[in-house]
Amino acid sequence: MITVGVIGYGYWGPNLVRNFAEVPGGRVGVVTDLHPARLSQVTARYPATRVSTDHRDVINDPSVDAVAIATPVSAHFDLAMAALRAGKHVLVEKPMTATSEQSMTLIDEAEKRGLVLMVDHTFVYTAAVRKIADLIAGGELGRVLYLDSVRINLGLFQPDYNVIWDLAPHDLSIMNHLLPKDAEAISATGESHLNGHEDIAFITAYYPDKMIAHVNVNWISPVKVRTTLIGGEKKMLVWNDLEADEKLKIYDKGVDVKSQEGVYNLLVSYRSGDMWAPQVEQVEALRLELRYFVECITRNEAPFNNGCAGLKVVRMLEAASQSLAKRGALVYV
Amino acid sequence: MITVGVIGYGYWGPNLVRNFAEVPGGRVGVVTDLHPARLSQVTARYPATRVSTDHRDVINDPSVDAVAIATPVSAHFDLAMAALRAGKHVLVEKPMTATSEQSMTLIDEAEKRGLVLMVDHTFVYTAAVRKIADLIAGGELGRVLYLDSVRINLGLFQPDYNVIWDLAPHDLSIMNHLLPKDAEAISATGESHLNGHEDIAFITAYYPDKMIAHVNVNWISPVKVRTTLIGGEKKMLVWNDLEADEKLKIYDKGVDVKSQEGVYNLLVSYRSGDMWAPQVEQVEALRLELRYFVECITRNEAPFNNGCAGLKVVRMLEAASQSLAKRGALVYV
Amino acid sequence: MITVGVIGYGYWGPNLVRNFAEVPGGRVGVVTDLHPARLSQVTARYPATRVSTDHRDVINDPSVDAVAIATPVSAHFDLAMAALRAGKHVLVEKPMTATSEQSMTLIDEAEKRGLVLMVDHTFVYTAAVRKIADLIAGGELGRVLYLDSVRINLGLFQPDYNVIWDLAPHDLSIMNHLLPKDAEAISATGESHLNGHEDIAFITAYYPDKMIAHVNVNWISPVKVRTTLIGGEKKMLVWNDLEADEKLKIYDKGVDVKSQEGVYNLLVSYRSGDMWAPQVEQVEALRLELRYFVECITRNEAPFNNGCAGLKVVRMLEAASQSLAKRGALVYV
Amino acid sequence: MITVGVIGYGYWGPNLVRNFAEVPGGRVGVVTDLHPARLSQVTARYPATRVSTDHRDVINDPSVDAVAIATPVSAHFDLAMAALRAGKHVLVEKPMTATSEQSMTLIDEAEKRGLVLMVDHTFVYTAAVRKIADLIAGGELGRVLYLDSVRINLGLFQPDYNVIWDLAPHDLSIMNHLLPKDAEAISATGESHLNGHEDIAFITAYYPDKMIAHVNVNWISPVKVRTTLIGGEKKMLVWNDLEADEKLKIYDKGVDVKSQEGVYNLLVSYRSGDMWAPQVEQVEALRLELRYFVECITRNEAPFNNGCAGLKVVRMLEAASQSLAKRGALVYV
């Protein structure tokens, strides 16, 4: 039985607690949060769980095997470092840390101590992303030409970072999980209208072999959109995460190019065939991820969304921030 | 009665001919195209209209008052110049010319000769764009913060230019028509996968007063999307041009900011109110535009979508091309 | 070459003329309509076609081989009868006649004279219906359990008949075309709010083997809906005719029943699998139908949507009218 | 503080327990269910709540003030009767009882003992229905002409009743709540394909003043639909309960009739104006309802969805069943 301590019971913490409480082999021992009001909610729902306003009651608790950190990003590094030093396995929310240096320090510390360090990239556990990963790996789409993701809504302004650091980690972690190679360079544009941090931003990531990815994130959109297009040489897909059913549609559409003397352009022809929406399971992604976290600890294995996966996202965020400051100028990752 | 000669009867030419034939005060005298097969279609539908494979049969025809040019872009300048020199009024398809220098030359020539020079920015005549223009001009949206436009589909590869020159003139002409100020600088990214011209591209335009616009164009999308978001300080709107009804939705949503000592971020609050879809007329935009072209000739007036409007779009396209070549680096317009 | 005379140039007549003009082996010789204004539109578009306000100029014209009748229903019988007696082949709009007796008289007359009598059930020529017919005939759906069709919008009130006679012929002709057996009995309900004819109505048709069909027609709906569900034992489909693409979606969903002693209800289990949207051709249905009409005349063959198909629909409409008058009481067809 | 005992912890029971646990002035004292496995779920989540497999442990518990009954319909009457006789207030799931006689007996018993008897018509507490009720009561729609409701999906076959008794109580209770008068007569059609109970059915309800309502319920639909149209003389609305936002759309569309000598039909004209989607609150309907139940008990008031509201629905279900057996023949309510 792995006993987990959860630090932070704001937006995401309740989901961590609920799922850890029901994962086989897991239990929630302590929850800490700076706000006593939130802790009384914990007590109401989970009378057997201890609560505290002091995170050290998690870190120093010898019965705690693993610590889940769901605080603002600025606190991630210190808390994760303290937990690792106390010999705890760590699950940290995305983005992993505020800088890539911090991420590297955490990776080293976990490595040195033989502890599991996992970053919560929940989306890669969704049935949709797992299905897309299978389709790409199985060659069904052919070579991927582009990925185009939109993640916009009327969103909560974050006091300490911009819309890219808030929303894009989802898209970047999905891209890193799905695409065969890593991004080489990033161009980002955007604008801040209200509180000094960008509330609308656009990221282009250049990949080897003419792959390109684009991410559109926006806190001031009147409508909520969560749509990703992936264009492959053989097939293309649309993932609309807001659809209750038919989240994933795969189109037998594409462009065939036959190069021939002189009349090149006439030989770009279109295919437009059937569409197919595979049934995807209805499992809560976070449940799967937390079960896997517990299993990794039990089996002493490194998770695939480990510290390095977290670092890769932070590096892309840093590159995007630099490009944003130079209004689109290319920054190598 | 204004007699029009139409050069080019490919994709758009038939729409010009059909509408000129029914516009009050207009008639189609001659149609030319390099392909005889297309001309026999003209004859079948309009037995009274002369046809020719030689564009000089339009330019040199003394009964022709105005020339409409619907050829590939590379031919626009020479044909328009010849028509103006022959004393004809000119309507030219978008983008007006292949370079901004050519556009300036045409503007000078038309000016000198007192002829109407109009560029076919059809979209600004749609009921949706006219309604949006009213809403912005009337202050209903408040200060515009951003415009975000997506125009993607499985599209015809153009042999002589990329997806930006093909599709973005729609968005750029709409932006220029709607927004109170001109774009200052442009960053563009994209990739070419098939025939050496970019088939997917993203343009960010920076405006004064922290206004920002983004255009997403793509020839290799499995789905067709024609959606523009406009976020204002008071209200926001979504224009989905593929909706049969309810093309335009106006949301009483927004963000209120009250700056107050120290706790700035706590005072960004959300408004989420009703949505309203105004009835928009079902009139063919091209019909309106061509009627207006005939009226401008008759009244000897300059149209608002004149050569300067065309030039402005070409300059933005040139800036986007330069930025694209430098993978996102900012280019001033 | 088959020369066609068209009687009636109101809503549908222009579509008949346009398509007959372009069908191989067909041409439009004469068009008649009571309104001279409409005829001048014909002349403007088809200078070679004669026009008249007197339908006898079609009936008595010896150069006319076939007559297409697109008048109000009340005139169908007299015009079709006159045309047949003059030795012309006949295409008549739906519903074929105002009574089943009239339909039978026309069938006899055509039979006796060896003439083609076809009723314009355009929808059965659409790519969607042809695809559905293939799926059902090929056993892909399994035994059909039900068909449920909705055809509603803010519609033109007809002065001489109700919403059932106006809209339901579409659904009834589709049902007769798709389903293996004929309806046995009909129950219909509805209400007239405005001009004495029902503007909203619901038809249930009972078939052998527990098949059931339902049609919902409405002239006073704020939204336009054109959706048909067909539930089969193996698969089910949704046909949404207002979708630009993906009009047809086939669901690998169903109910499996295993009867077993005592615990019957526990053994009704669900299947929920993939969805599949076949590519359907984009051909104008009326074009196909008119080409087929011309071919039937040329080859001296009876069309499948012949007088008997028209009669079957009229009989169902009569049964529905009788049931409607008795507020739902069952009427055998 | 009102202590509630809940009988039945299957599909709906958990929602009752969760909400009663959080309603001010309410608490859950005991939960019973025939399945011990379900009861261990209760214990896991609510350690302080007693559980039992014997419903008499609710009925006979002197600390229990009110009993909520969420069992199969066949058990409703006996349990509610026992609870009332034991002096408990009663909340019973819909449909209230299996016969109208049983409903009347319960109403009498509650009346005699001065106890609250409420039937759980949850939908009338949704923000959408409350908004529609306001619109109708405020005259915004004008006189209601029709209501047309579709409630279909791949649904759980019920062993002891058909799809009408399962799904239509939602629509009937909504209709009774919204419409100013009661239905006079009902026609129902349908078919049973699998387990002897109808799995697809259509109900038409005739009202005074030419109002008509239609309900389409179906357990074997490949897609889930929850849509209600309401057509008024002034405005019309569409309520799509599956939309996350914009559940309610109000159309300024309608038909204007001016009667004038002779040419009556020409004077039915259309209005097609704006559409408006009011913001509706995001409150859980059941929460509101249970709070109201507790308040009614506390204040000794009769709820509006009392036994009589439940009886009205059961009478309509009985009429529909009779009509269904006669395949559509009209049955007076």
Side-chain angles (χ1 to χ4, degrees):
Chain A
M1 180 67 66
I2 301 299
T3 298
V4 182
V6 176
I7 303 178
Y9 199 76
Y11 170 67
W12 195 244
N15 293 326
L16 290 172
V17 171
R18 175 172 51 80
N19 278 289
F20 268 129
E22 302 186 15
V23 156
R27 58 181 288 276
V28 180
V30 206
V31 175
T32 70
D33 194 282
L34 298 175
H35 303 81
R38 292 176 181 169
L39 296 174
S40 54
Q41 284 175 24
V42 178
T43 305
R45 288 191 202 160
Y46 310 95
T49 298
R50 272 165 301 129
V51 297
S52 164
T53 54
D54 187 343
H55 65 83
R56 286 170 300 187
D57 289 335
V58 165
I59 305 284
N60 299 330
D61 185 328
S63 75
V64 166
D65 303 297
V67 176
I69 299 165
T71 64
V73 179
S74 53
H76 284 187
F77 174 72
D78 287 345
L79 292 170
M81 203 62 191
L84 290 170
R85 284 181 177 149
K88 317 294 191 198
H89 305 282
V90 167
L91 173 75
V92 62
E93 278 314 301
K94 56 89 207 163
M96 186 157 80
T97 54
T99 70
S100 53
E101 270 197 63
Q102 291 175 341
S103 288
M104 287 185 287
T105 307
L106 291 184
I107 292 169
D108 286 348
E109 190 70 27
E111 180 79 27
K112 206 168 62 190
R113 296 180 179 269
L115 294 168
V116 171
L117 170 62
M118 183 159 142
V119 57
D120 181 9
H121 291 160
T122 320
F123 261 104
V124 303
Y125 290 88
T126 57
V129 173
R130 286 182 292 128
K131 183 77 191 175
I132 297 171
D134 288 350
L135 291 168
I136 290 177
E140 191 124 12
L141 301 188
R143 186 167 65 91
V144 173
L145 305 175
Y146 70 88
L147 181 152
D148 183 3
S149 194
V150 179
R151 187 174 302 277
I152 65 178
N153 57 284
L154 206 60
L156 203 61
F157 276 69
Q158 301 294 337
D160 51 357
Y161 49 85
N162 65 20
V163 70
I164 285 185
W165 284 77
D166 183 36
L167 296 181
H170 293 305
D171 305 286
L172 300 177
S173 60
I174 292 165
M175 284 153 53
N176 290 341
H177 184 66
L178 290 178
L179 300 174
K181 301 196 177 170
D182 288 347
E184 293 178 330
I186 278 177
S187 163
T189 54
E191 195 58 86
S192 65
H193 297 94
L194 298 162
N195 73 343
H197 297 297
E198 284 78 9
D199 42 50
I200 180 167
F202 311 97
I203 305 171
T204 301
Y206 285 96
Y207 285 79
D209 307 328
K210 286 172 172 277
M211 230 301 296
I212 192 167
H214 189 260
V215 179
N216 178 335
V217 284
N218 182 343
W219 277 336
I220 50 175
S221 165
V223 285
K224 185 174 184 177
V225 181
R226 295 280 182 274
T227 300
T228 301
L229 274 67
I230 300 182
E233 271 190 332
K234 289 194 199 156
K235 288 187 181 166
M236 299 179 177
L237 68 81
V238 178
W239 166 31
N240 181 346
D241 204 51
L242 301 184
E243 286 270 340
D245 308 304
E246 305 166 28
K247 279 186 194 300
L248 211 55
K249 294 183 176 177
I250 296 138
Y251 293 83
D252 184 14
K253 288 188 177 177
V255 183
D256 293 321
V257 183
K258 292 200 190 72
S259 58
Q260 214 167 323
E261 357 107 40
V263 287
Y264 188 57
N265 64 287
L266 293 177
L267 297 164
V268 180
S269 63
Y270 303 88
R271 275 180 304 104
S272 189
D274 295 357
M275 182 269 276
W276 165 66
Q279 170 79 355
V280 294
E281 316 161 48
Q282 308 256 354
V283 185
E284 189 173 359
L286 186 57
R287 179 71 53 96
L288 280 186
E289 186 181 19
L290 300 191
R291 199 170 69 192
Y292 175 61
F293 178 62
V294 166
E295 286 168 6
C296 284
I297 293 171
T298 311
R299 298 192 205 136
N300 198 24
E301 280 178 18
F304 70 88
N305 52 325
N306 58 7
C308 296
L311 168 63
K312 213 182 270 188
V313 168
V314 172
R315 278 195 174 133
M316 294 172 85
L317 294 170
E318 287 178 333
S321 293
Q322 288 170 40
S323 179
L324 201 50
K326 293 186 277 181
R327 305 217 284 181
L330 199 71
V331 174
Y332 286 86
V333 181
Chain B
M1 178 67 68
I2 301 298
T3 299
V4 182
V6 176
I7 302 178
Y9 199 76
Y11 170 67
W12 194 244
N15 294 325
L16 291 172
V17 172
R18 175 172 52 80
N19 278 289
F20 269 129
E22 303 186 15
V23 156
R27 59 181 288 277
V28 180
V30 207
V31 175
T32 71
D33 194 283
L34 298 175
H35 303 79
R38 291 176 181 169
L39 296 174
S40 54
Q41 284 176 25
V42 177
T43 305
R45 288 191 202 162
Y46 310 95
T49 297
R50 271 168 301 128
V51 298
S52 164
T53 54
D54 187 344
H55 64 82
R56 287 169 300 186
D57 290 335
V58 165
I59 306 284
N60 300 331
D61 186 329
S63 75
V64 165
D65 302 298
V67 175
I69 298 165
T71 64
V73 180
S74 54
H76 283 187
F77 174 71
D78 287 345
L79 292 170
M81 204 62 190
L84 290 170
R85 284 180 178 154
K88 317 294 191 199
H89 304 282
V90 167
L91 173 75
V92 62
E93 279 314 300
K94 55 92 204 159
M96 186 157 79
T97 53
T99 70
S100 53
E101 269 197 64
Q102 292 175 341
S103 288
M104 287 186 285
T105 307
L106 290 184
I107 291 168
D108 286 349
E109 190 69 28
E111 180 81 27
K112 205 169 61 187
R113 296 180 180 269
L115 294 167
V116 171
L117 171 62
M118 182 159 143
V119 57
D120 181 9
H121 291 159
T122 321
F123 261 104
V124 303
Y125 290 88
T126 57
V129 172
R130 287 182 291 129
K131 184 76 192 176
I132 297 171
D134 287 351
L135 291 168
I136 291 177
E140 191 123 12
L141 302 188
R143 186 167 65 89
V144 173
L145 305 175
Y146 71 88
L147 181 151
D148 182 4
S149 193
V150 179
R151 188 174 302 277
I152 66 177
N153 58 283
L154 206 60
L156 203 60
F157 276 69
Q158 301 294 338
D160 51 355
Y161 49 85
N162 64 21
V163 70
I164 286 185
W165 283 77
D166 183 37
L167 297 181
H170 293 306
D171 305 286
L172 300 177
S173 60
I174 292 166
M175 284 152 54
N176 290 341
H177 184 67
L178 290 177
L179 300 174
K181 301 195 177 171
D182 288 347
E184 293 178 330
I186 278 178
S187 162
T189 53
E191 194 58 85
S192 64
H193 298 94
L194 297 162
N195 73 344
H197 296 297
E198 284 78 10
D199 41 51
I200 180 168
F202 311 97
I203 304 171
T204 300
Y206 286 95
Y207 286 78
D209 307 328
K210 288 173 171 275
M211 228 302 294
I212 192 166
H214 189 260
V215 178
N216 178 337
V217 283
N218 182 345
W219 277 337
I220 49 174
S221 164
V223 286
K224 185 174 184 176
V225 180
R226 297 280 182 272
T227 299
T228 302
L229 274 68
I230 300 182
E233 270 191 332
K234 288 193 199 157
K235 287 185 182 167
M236 299 179 178
L237 69 79
V238 179
W239 166 32
N240 181 347
D241 203 50
L242 301 185
E243 286 269 341
D245 308 305
E246 304 166 28
K247 278 185 195 302
L248 211 56
K249 294 183 174 176
I250 296 137
Y251 293 84
D252 184 15
K253 289 188 176 177
V255 184
D256 293 321
V257 183
K258 293 200 189 71
S259 59
Q260 212 168 324
E261 358 108 39
V263 286
Y264 189 57
N265 63 287
L266 292 177
L267 298 163
V268 180
S269 62
Y270 304 89
R271 276 181 302 103
S272 189
D274 295 357
M275 182 269 277
W276 165 66
Q279 170 78 355
V280 294
E281 315 160 49
Q282 309 258 351
V283 185
E284 189 174 357
L286 186 57
R287 180 71 53 95
L288 280 185
E289 186 181 19
L290 299 192
R291 199 169 71 191
Y292 175 61
F293 178 61
V294 167
E295 288 168 5
C296 284
I297 292 171
T298 312
R299 300 192 203 137
N300 199 23
E301 280 178 19
F304 70 88
N305 50 326
N306 58 7
C308 296
L311 169 63
K312 212 182 268 187
V313 168
V314 172
R315 277 195 175 132
M316 294 172 86
L317 294 170
E318 288 178 333
S321 293
Q322 288 169 41
S323 178
L324 200 51
K326 294 185 277 181
R327 305 217 284 182
L330 200 71
V331 173
Y332 286 86
V333 181
Chain C
M1 179 66 68
I2 301 298
T3 299
V4 182
V6 175
I7 302 178
Y9 198 77
Y11 169 67
W12 195 243
N15 293 326
L16 291 172
V17 171
R18 175 171 53 80
N19 278 289
F20 268 129
E22 302 185 15
V23 155
R27 59 179 289 275
V28 179
V30 207
V31 175
T32 70
D33 194 282
L34 299 175
H35 303 80
R38 292 176 181 170
L39 295 175
S40 53
Q41 285 176 25
V42 177
T43 304
R45 289 191 200 162
Y46 310 94
T49 298
R50 273 167 298 129
V51 299
S52 164
T53 54
D54 187 342
H55 65 83
R56 286 170 300 186
D57 289 335
V58 165
I59 306 282
N60 299 330
D61 186 328
S63 76
V64 165
D65 302 300
V67 176
I69 299 166
T71 65
V73 180
S74 54
H76 283 186
F77 175 71
D78 287 345
L79 291 170
M81 204 62 190
L84 291 170
R85 283 180 178 152
K88 316 294 193 198
H89 304 283
V90 167
L91 173 74
V92 63
E93 278 314 300
K94 56 87 206 161
M96 186 156 81
T97 53
T99 70
S100 52
E101 268 197 64
Q102 292 176 341
S103 289
M104 287 186 284
T105 307
L106 291 184
I107 291 168
D108 286 350
E109 190 69 27
E111 179 81 25
K112 207 168 61 190
R113 293 178 180 271
L115 293 167
V116 170
L117 170 62
M118 183 158 141
V119 58
D120 181 8
H121 291 159
T122 320
F123 261 105
V124 302
Y125 289 89
T126 57
V129 172
R130 286 181 295 128
K131 184 75 190 177
I132 298 171
D134 286 350
L135 291 168
I136 291 177
E140 191 124 11
L141 301 188
R143 188 168 64 91
V144 174
L145 304 175
Y146 70 88
L147 181 152
D148 182 3
S149 194
V150 178
R151 188 175 301 275
I152 66 179
N153 57 285
L154 207 59
L156 203 62
F157 276 69
Q158 301 294 337
D160 52 357
Y161 50 83
N162 64 21
V163 70
I164 285 185
W165 283 76
D166 183 36
L167 297 181
H170 292 306
D171 305 286
L172 300 177
S173 59
I174 292 166
M175 284 152 53
N176 290 341
H177 183 67
L178 290 177
L179 300 173
K181 299 195 178 170
D182 289 347
E184 293 178 331
I186 278 177
S187 163
T189 55
E191 194 60 84
S192 65
H193 297 94
L194 297 162
N195 73 344
H197 297 295
E198 283 79 9
D199 42 51
I200 181 169
F202 311 97
I203 304 172
T204 301
Y206 285 97
Y207 285 78
D209 307 327
K210 288 172 173 277
M211 229 301 295
I212 191 167
H214 189 259
V215 179
N216 177 337
V217 284
N218 182 344
W219 277 335
I220 49 175
S221 165
V223 285
K224 184 173 182 176
V225 181
R226 297 280 182 274
T227 300
T228 302
L229 274 68
I230 301 183
E233 271 190 331
K234 289 193 199 157
K235 288 186 182 165
M236 299 179 177
L237 68 81
V238 178
W239 165 33
N240 182 346
D241 203 51
L242 301 184
E243 286 270 341
D245 307 304
E246 304 167 27
K247 280 185 193 302
L248 210 55
K249 294 183 174 176
I250 296 138
Y251 293 83
D252 184 16
K253 288 188 176 177
V255 183
D256 293 320
V257 183
K258 294 201 188 70
S259 59
Q260 211 169 323
E261 357 109 38
V263 286
Y264 189 56
N265 63 288
L266 292 177
L267 297 165
V268 181
S269 62
Y270 304 88
R271 275 180 302 104
S272 190
D274 295 356
M275 182 269 276
W276 165 65
Q279 169 79 353
V280 293
E281 317 159 47
Q282 308 257 354
V283 185
E284 190 173 358
L286 186 56
R287 180 71 53 95
L288 279 186
E289 186 180 18
L290 299 192
R291 199 170 69 191
Y292 175 60
F293 178 61
V294 167
E295 286 168 4
C296 284
I297 293 172
T298 312
R299 299 190 203 139
N300 199 24
E301 281 178 19
F304 71 86
N305 52 326
N306 59 6
C308 295
L311 168 62
K312 215 182 265 187
V313 168
V314 172
R315 276 195 175 134
M316 293 172 86
L317 294 170
E318 288 178 333
S321 294
Q322 286 171 41
S323 178
L324 201 50
K326 293 184 278 181
R327 306 217 282 181
L330 199 71
V331 173
Y332 286 86
V333 181
Chain D
M1 180 65 68
I2 300 299
T3 298
V4 183
V6 176
I7 302 178
Y9 198 77
Y11 169 68
W12 195 244
N15 294 325
L16 291 172
V17 171
R18 175 172 52 81
N19 278 290
F20 268 129
E22 302 185 15
V23 155
R27 59 179 288 275
V28 180
V30 206
V31 175
T32 70
D33 194 283
L34 298 176
H35 303 80
R38 292 175 180 169
L39 295 174
S40 53
Q41 284 176 24
V42 177
T43 305
R45 290 192 200 160
Y46 310 95
T49 297
R50 273 166 299 128
V51 297
S52 163
T53 54
D54 187 344
H55 65 83
R56 286 168 301 186
D57 288 335
V58 165
I59 306 284
N60 299 332
D61 185 329
S63 76
V64 165
D65 302 298
V67 176
I69 299 165
T71 64
V73 180
S74 53
H76 284 187
F77 174 71
D78 287 344
L79 291 170
M81 203 62 191
L84 291 170
R85 282 180 178 152
K88 317 295 192 197
H89 305 282
V90 168
L91 173 74
V92 63
E93 279 314 301
K94 58 89 207 162
M96 186 156 79
T97 52
T99 70
S100 52
E101 270 198 63
Q102 291 175 341
S103 288
M104 288 186 284
T105 307
L106 291 184
I107 292 167
D108 285 349
E109 190 70 28
E111 179 81 28
K112 205 168 62 189
R113 293 178 181 271
L115 293 167
V116 170
L117 171 63
M118 183 158 142
V119 59
D120 181 8
H121 291 159
T122 320
F123 261 104
V124 304
Y125 289 88
T126 58
V129 172
R130 285 181 294 129
K131 183 76 192 176
I132 298 171
D134 287 350
L135 291 168
I136 291 177
E140 191 123 12
L141 302 189
R143 186 168 65 91
V144 174
L145 305 176
Y146 70 88
L147 181 152
D148 182 4
S149 194
V150 178
R151 187 175 302 276
I152 66 179
N153 58 285
L154 206 61
L156 204 61
F157 276 69
Q158 301 293 339
D160 52 356
Y161 50 85
N162 65 21
V163 70
I164 286 186
W165 283 77
D166 183 36
L167 297 181
H170 292 305
D171 305 285
L172 300 177
S173 60
I174 292 166
M175 284 152 53
N176 290 341
H177 184 66
L178 291 177
L179 300 174
K181 300 196 178 170
D182 289 348
E184 293 178 332
I186 278 177
S187 164
T189 54
E191 193 60 84
S192 65
H193 297 94
L194 296 162
N195 73 344
H197 297 296
E198 283 79 9
D199 42 52
I200 181 168
F202 311 97
I203 304 171
T204 301
Y206 286 96
Y207 285 78
D209 308 326
K210 288 172 172 278
M211 229 301 294
I212 191 167
H214 189 260
V215 179
N216 177 337
V217 284
N218 182 345
W219 278 335
I220 49 174
S221 165
V223 286
K224 184 174 183 176
V225 181
R226 296 281 182 274
T227 301
T228 301
L229 275 69
I230 300 183
E233 271 190 331
K234 289 194 199 157
K235 287 186 182 164
M236 299 179 178
L237 68 80
V238 178
W239 165 32
N240 181 347
D241 204 50
L242 302 185
E243 286 270 342
D245 308 304
E246 304 166 29
K247 279 184 194 302
L248 211 56
K249 294 183 174 176
I250 296 137
Y251 293 83
D252 184 15
K253 288 188 176 176
V255 184
D256 292 321
V257 183
K258 294 200 189 71
S259 60
Q260 211 168 325
E261 357 107 37
V263 286
Y264 188 58
N265 62 287
L266 293 177
L267 298 164
V268 180
S269 62
Y270 303 88
R271 275 180 303 104
S272 189
D274 295 357
M275 183 269 276
W276 165 66
Q279 170 80 354
V280 295
E281 316 160 50
Q282 308 257 355
V283 185
E284 189 174 359
L286 186 57
R287 179 71 52 99
L288 279 186
E289 186 180 18
L290 300 191
R291 198 169 70 192
Y292 175 61
F293 178 62
V294 167
E295 287 168 6
C296 283
I297 292 172
T298 313
R299 299 190 204 138
N300 199 23
E301 281 178 19
F304 71 87
N305 52 326
N306 59 6
C308 295
L311 169 62
K312 214 182 267 188
V313 168
V314 173
R315 277 194 174 134
M316 293 172 86
L317 294 170
E318 288 178 333
S321 295
Q322 287 170 42
S323 179
L324 199 52
K326 293 185 278 179
R327 306 217 284 181
L330 199 72
V331 173
Y332 286 86
V333 181

